[in-house]
Amino acid sequence: MINTNNNYRNEVCELIPHTGSMCLLDMVESWDDRNIVCHTNTHKDLDNPLRNEDGLPVLALIEYGAQAMAVHGGLLAKSMGNKINEGYLAALRDVSFSSGDVSGIHAPLYIEATKLMASQGNMIYNFSVKADDMLLISGRATVVAIFNN
């Protein structure tokens, strides 16, 4: 488990290119070669960089899923002595979502990503974001990563 509450947040932020308030994940609860589970409360932050004048749109949760995938890729690369220099969200498919603003949800968000396929820096993941037992968004994403040994 990587706990990013308080002093440990930098561990997760070091695995992705985002810093400060744009690093949206609070904690990696578990991960293995295929899966990662993270949670966060940053959807409630007034300084969340994805907020607009109406709140935090549910489609902004795609970025939460993308960050979970990036952290997963970073953890896998680190375990093999590599580092991901850059990563790109190349495609989204089968995205389903609830409507509305998620900044008013009081429960933590749970972000899950499952790697379906990986080959030469190309990865396909299923992802979902839930609060309590309510599914807020889910889909499939293609990610392209550039590694540095």
Side-chain angles (χ1 to χ4, degrees):
M1 172 168 47
I2 295 178
N3 179 352
T4 62
N5 293 331
N6 301 323
N7 297 334
Y8 301 104
R9 184 175 180 88
N10 290 337
E11 276 187 75
V12 167
C13 292
E14 288 174 4
L15 294 169
I16 62 175
H18 303 304
T19 60
S21 63
M22 194 56 204
C23 181
L24 300 170
L25 303 177
D26 287 333
M27 176 185 247
V28 174
E29 289 208 350
S30 63
W31 72 281
D32 59 28
D33 287 346
R34 281 193 72 222
N35 303 292
I36 189 164
V37 178
C38 306
H39 88 252
T40 190
N41 284 292
T42 60
H43 60 294
K44 298 183 266 185
D45 292 348
L46 295 178
D47 68 341
N48 185 311
L50 301 179
R51 285 180 76 101
N52 61 31
E53 60 276 354
D54 298 322
L56 184 66
V58 70
L59 288 178
L61 298 182
I62 291 170
E63 178 63 25
Y64 285 74
Q67 287 193 20
M69 292 175 239
V71 169
H72 187 252
L75 288 167
L76 288 173
K78 187 175 179 179
S79 73
M80 295 182 286
N82 291 330
K83 182 179 181 183
I84 296 177
N85 277 349
E86 299 175 52
Y88 302 96
L89 182 60
L92 292 169
R93 290 228 189 266
D94 302 324
V95 176
S96 304
F97 53 93
S98 61
S99 62
D101 169 34
V102 297
S103 57
I105 294 174
H106 297 290
L109 298 181
Y110 284 84
I111 304 98
E112 298 180 26
T114 300
K115 183 177 63 173
L116 303 175
M117 190 280 298
S119 176
Q120 299 178 348
N122 300 308
M123 296 168 271
I124 299 175
Y125 280 89
N126 279 338
F127 71 94
S128 65
V129 180
K130 299 175 184 174
D132 289 329
D133 290 329
M134 182 174 55
L135 179 63
L136 301 171
I137 194 165
S138 64
R140 188 171 67 238
T142 301
V143 177
V144 177
I146 299 170
F147 292 89
N148 182 24
N149 295 5

